[in-house]
Amino acid sequence: MGKRISDWIEQYRCMDWAVLYLRLFTGAMMLFHNIGKIQNYNEIISSYPSLLYINPPAVFVIVTIAEVLLAVLIIMGLWVRMSALVMSLGILLMFAWGGFGAGEPEFVWLGIYVFLIVSGGGLYAFDVALASSGRKK
């Protein structure tokens, strides 16, 4: 009986590595995406929306800073579920807005963020380290 349980636990241990990989990949891709957005600022700003009567350059700065901070949190494994939820809500807002060529890439991003919402940060996340250091031994 004990052998079966340990085999079952060991079988799913590789999933933590997969979640770590997906977190690192997703965060890095979002950072590269934002570097590209910043480099193409002049071309992008003309098509950026004006939300709540805020100027498009201000919306661009707010969205870019939020995406970078959330990507760093996902890479580190801090508040992964909440960060992925905010990013997926942003993608859903883009779908509703119909801008930015909403289509296949955004659908892929949405799928990745939904996976991170369900899985969380995994075993190799700072959240796990912080939770275990807070417990009394």
Side-chain angles (χ1 to χ4, degrees):
M1 177 80 173
K3 175 94 170 110
R4 277 197 226 157
I5 292 173
S6 64
D7 288 344
W8 183 77
I9 291 171
E10 191 61 35
Q11 175 186 2
Y12 290 102
R13 177 117 14 222
C14 64
M15 292 303 291
D16 291 318
W17 286 103
V19 171
L20 173 66
Y21 170 78
L22 190 64
R23 274 192 10 243
L24 296 175
F25 178 79
T26 303
M29 288 303 296
M30 187 52 65
L31 290 176
F32 288 130
H33 165 73
N34 280 293
I35 290 171
K37 271 191 348 185
I38 292 168
Q39 289 175 341
N40 297 325
Y41 172 81
N42 292 329
E43 293 85 26
I44 292 175
I45 200 64
S46 63
S47 67
Y48 234 73
S50 175
L51 300 173
L52 303 173
Y53 302 106
I54 301 173
N55 291 335
V59 173
F60 178 84
V61 169
I62 292 167
V63 168
T64 303
I65 290 173
E67 285 179 346
V68 167
L69 289 176
L70 293 170
V72 169
L73 287 174
I74 287 172
I75 288 172
M76 293 174 56
L78 286 170
W79 305 303
V80 173
R81 285 189 167 111
M82 187 58 64
S83 300
L85 177 67
V86 171
M87 293 296 274
S88 62
L89 290 175
I91 291 170
L92 289 173
L93 184 67
M94 280 179 22
F95 274 130
W97 193 272
F100 309 118
E104 291 178 17
E106 288 83 4
F107 190 70
V108 171
W109 281 110
L110 186 62
I112 291 170
Y113 288 129
V114 167
F115 176 85
L116 288 174
I117 291 168
V118 172
S119 71
L123 182 65
Y124 305 111
F126 277 116
D127 279 345
V128 173
L130 292 174
S132 65
S133 69
R135 293 186 191 141
K136 293 184 180 181
K137 297 180 181 178

